[in-house]
Amino acid sequence: MGMTDVLIVGAGPTGLVLACDLARRGVAVRIVDRSPAPPRTSRAKGPNPRSLEILDDLGVAEEVLAAGSAPLPMLKYRDRRPVAEADPWADSAPSPSPDARYDRGWLIAQWRLEGILRDRLAGYGVRVEPGREVVGLTQGRGEGADGGDEGDGGHVDVTYADGPAGRARYVVGCDGAHSSVRKLLGVTFEGTTAEDQVMVCGDVDLAEGVLDRTRWHQWFDEDGAVMLCPIPGTRTGWWFQAGPERDGRGRPLAPTAEGFRRLLAHHTALPGRDLTRAELLSTYRVNVRMADRFRAGRVLLAGDAAHVHAIAGGLGMNTGIQDAFNLGWKLGLVLAGHADAELLDTYEEERLPVAARTLDLASERLRATLEAIRRPGGGLEAAITPDTTGLGVGYRWSSLAAGGRAPEAGTPGPHAGDRAPDAPCADAATGVETRLHRVFAGPRTTVLGFGPGSAAALRETADAYGGDGGVRVCRVYAAHEDRAGAEPGAVVDDAGHAAAAYGTGASGDPGAGTVVVVRPDHHVGVRAPADDARSVREYLRRLHGTGRSAERSPGMVDAVR
């Protein structure tokens, strides 16, 4: 029985992002899915700004942008007549702010996003194994369900419905709300299902030209609703969502093509025959549920396998992608032998509270939306708030944010645990435009140094970790600083955006400076004065061992593009 490092169960966006992140680290990864072929379904409508940052780090954001479209203005109708139009993004700045390149989400069919991620994964020599249903998990010695000792030789034996068994050092269940992995673990999935909050969904074709494809059309009437949003990359394809037809006792009927045509004719000014195709039909009920734990020994849960919530705000797929990005680097460092297995405990420590907050946020946005559509002119824009961008998610409570001297309340710039801001800058050697998130890209921890006083801490870090590929250092020069002798990879903060974003400011003290350790998932680990090299040293030791004296992993891949 061959051993793999990580087996991922489920090849949706969560599993694919995790697989890509692990594969570029040189981790031996397999990804299986019970479906015999990739499902062609739209489901989620696209990544939010934080997920776009993650996709950018993985090297696929430009392809995602090209395959999709910007979010569309919403045209609202009542009694078949247009009554209002709303563009939730109209008040956004004409260009993204310096600290966040992506100021809005993006529309792309989920099947198209999954195809892009599968292609990226194939570039690392890993392909999804279809038709592989997991029916048994047995944790080997040292890994009880309580997550105890994980000494060398620990593993999980995996049984499939068909074919030979497998073995992995870790298993991650990314297999959706009905997760087999979660059920095999016996992890509870407490919550509620709102049987009266029902929507029918599908992908449809409409006769060409019958609706303006530059708008998301929303008919909200007292007796139901129909929503039609054009699917990017298609000529006549639309996402169809509607209140269901009901029988004489008020019970929702299953979706059918003819039912969709009747709903279209009833709520819109279009005849039912204009709907020429309807497939991938489903019924959506509002489920708000969360696993009571995200880790049981060497088996972990991510995405819908760990949490499901109301559709409002489009947070489902996005929360899963962000789960994967939090988990991938931690698994990579543990498998490389740099970090202790206890690092994996911080996955649940950080992501479970985020999931709980997301459940509340999505339910709150659903309530706001249901209230809004009762009034003529109200629509789905009520579901969109700054909270739904994902950019504000952080982990200040985490044990990984406990190092160093915490800045005082009101101190500008991010605290430990916060998302590390982006900022435009220039390569110190070539003058080529770049940005900090481009510096962070790839499976490494980054140590930023602001001010002359940071030079010593950067040299110490480079001496200790510069040869293993897991840590990079980057001196951020102010525009007025002398850059003679700048190390490769240094950048110039020519417009001061980086200093503003990180709250480093300007100082006349030649020994002043700030050092910021940025985790591989773009969150601040430590922010310390330049003279607090000990905090930096201790933090890096926790993640990367003792540097050059630590055991090396020959498979580490440097994926900085």
Side-chain angles (χ1 to χ4, degrees):
M1 174 182 313
M3 174 82 82
T4 193
D5 286 336
V6 180
L7 172 71
I8 298 169
V9 183
T14 301
L16 289 167
V17 165
L18 180 59
C20 288
D21 194 22
L22 291 171
R24 66 178 179 169
R25 297 172 183 278
V27 171
V29 61
R30 289 178 62 192
I31 179 168
V32 301
D33 197 282
R34 75 180 70 176
S35 299
R40 189 176 177 88
T41 173
S42 297
R43 292 179 287 176
K45 288 187 174 64
N48 65 13
R50 176 58 186 144
S51 291
L52 283 170
E53 291 183 341
I54 292 168
L55 296 170
D56 191 17
D57 190 288
L58 294 176
V60 298
E62 293 305 320
E63 191 174 354
V64 169
L65 295 177
S69 77
L72 302 175
M74 301 175 182
L75 183 57
K76 276 78 65 67
Y77 302 77
R78 196 77 161 196
D79 298 325
R80 300 185 174 188
R81 296 176 180 172
V83 294
E85 182 168 303
D87 185 350
W89 302 274
D91 294 333
S92 298
S95 60
S97 62
D99 66 347
R101 182 185 185 192
Y102 303 104
D103 64 342
R104 62 196 66 190
W106 208 249
L107 292 177
I108 182 172
Q110 184 170 323
W111 60 263
R112 182 71 182 95
L113 174 61
E114 290 173 356
I116 291 170
L117 288 167
R118 282 195 303 273
D119 289 346
R120 184 64 171 171
L121 185 60
Y124 296 113
V126 181
R127 297 185 182 276
V128 175
E129 301 174 41
R132 300 283 277 164
E133 181 181 1
V134 173
V135 296
L137 296 171
T138 304
Q139 301 206 38
R141 66 180 181 85
E143 299 78 49
D146 61 353
D149 174 38
E150 298 197 33
D152 292 342
H155 61 268
V156 184
D157 288 327
V158 184
T159 306
Y160 299 97
D162 296 299
R167 177 171 287 180
R169 291 183 174 86
Y170 291 95
V171 173
V172 185
C174 304
D175 50 341
H178 301 288
S179 170
S180 297
V181 172
R182 187 187 66 243
K183 293 172 183 176
L184 289 168
L185 292 176
V187 172
T188 61
F189 202 48
E190 296 294 337
T192 60
T193 299
E195 295 293 345
D196 59 329
Q197 294 179 332
V198 181
M199 182 170 64
V200 291
C201 312
D203 287 5
V204 305
D205 279 338
L206 296 182
E208 196 164 357
V210 300
L211 276 180
D212 178 2
R213 290 183 63 85
T214 68
R215 296 293 185 272
W216 184 350
H217 302 267
Q218 302 169 10
W219 291 265
F220 293 111
D221 297 317
E222 291 186 6
D223 62 345
V226 166
M227 293 157 278
L228 282 164
C229 182
I231 301 174
T234 69
R235 195 177 76 256
T236 58
W238 297 77
W239 285 299
F240 183 104
Q241 297 168 293
E245 295 185 298
R246 296 182 181 269
D247 65 16
R249 298 174 62 182
R251 294 173 302 191
L253 299 176
T256 64
E258 281 307 311
F260 278 16
R261 292 187 178 99
R262 288 191 293 269
L263 287 166
L264 186 75
H266 178 73
H267 289 286
T268 81
L270 302 175
R273 65 176 179 273
D274 280 351
L275 195 154
T276 59
R277 176 191 65 95
E279 62 182 20
L280 308 172
L281 310 185
S282 63
T283 298
Y284 169 81
R285 287 178 171 81
V286 175
N287 282 293
V288 180
R289 298 181 181 275
M290 190 172 75
D292 64 348
R293 51 187 168 147
F294 290 5
R295 182 187 180 203
R298 288 182 175 259
V299 185
L300 303 104
L301 300 172
D304 285 356
H307 44 75
V308 293
H309 43 77
I311 197 171
L315 297 169
M317 178 188 74
N318 288 291
T319 305
I321 287 173
Q322 291 152 35
D323 285 346
F325 204 54
N326 182 285
L327 178 58
W329 67 274
K330 296 173 181 178
L331 278 169
L333 289 177
V334 170
L335 286 163
H338 294 302
D340 292 335
E342 286 74 15
L343 180 64
L344 297 179
D345 291 335
T346 67
Y347 168 65
E348 178 180 298
E349 179 188 3
E350 294 182 343
R351 294 303 297 175
L352 192 150
V354 169
R357 170 60 184 135
T358 302
L359 264 62
D360 290 342
L361 174 61
S363 296
E364 171 192 309
R365 290 298 90 209
L366 177 62
R367 286 191 294 271
T369 302
L370 292 175
E371 179 65 28
I373 64 177
R374 292 191 181 100
R375 303 185 300 272
L380 301 187
E381 71 277 4
I384 300 167
T385 71
D387 284 343
T388 62
T389 67
L391 296 174
V393 172
Y395 314 114
R396 289 191 184 186
W397 63 83
S398 170
S399 60
L400 286 180
R405 301 198 295 262
E408 297 178 4
T411 301
H415 292 216
D418 292 350
R419 167 187 166 274
D422 200 358
C425 45
D427 185 277
T430 66
V432 172
E433 291 184 359
T434 186
R435 49 196 174 83
L436 289 184
H437 276 206
R438 176 57 43 211
V439 173
F440 303 159
R444 293 192 286 179
T445 299
T446 304
V447 182
L448 298 177
F450 294 86
S454 68
L458 294 184
R459 278 196 304 271
E460 179 181 328
T461 300
D463 289 344
Y465 297 97
D468 72 0
V471 181
R472 65 163 73 80
V473 300
C474 175
R475 173 76 158 86
V476 182
Y477 287 91
H480 66 271
E481 286 187 84
D482 181 7
R483 301 186 292 277
E487 294 292 328
V491 298
V492 181
D493 183 23
D494 42 13
H497 291 306
Y502 285 82
T504 60
S507 172
D509 181 358
T514 301
V515 180
V516 181
V517 180
V518 180
R519 302 168 7 170
D521 60 352
H522 310 162
H523 285 268
V524 173
V526 168
R527 176 185 171 191
D531 61 0
D532 187 14
R534 177 181 176 184
S535 293
V536 175
R537 199 161 48 236
E538 290 179 349
Y539 195 84
L540 292 175
R541 185 178 295 121
R542 181 175 180 186
L543 301 187
H544 295 273
T546 55
R548 295 188 186 279
S549 63
E551 181 182 353
R552 296 289 184 252
S553 172
M556 184 68 73
V557 177
D558 182 355
V560 177
R561 299 172 303 284

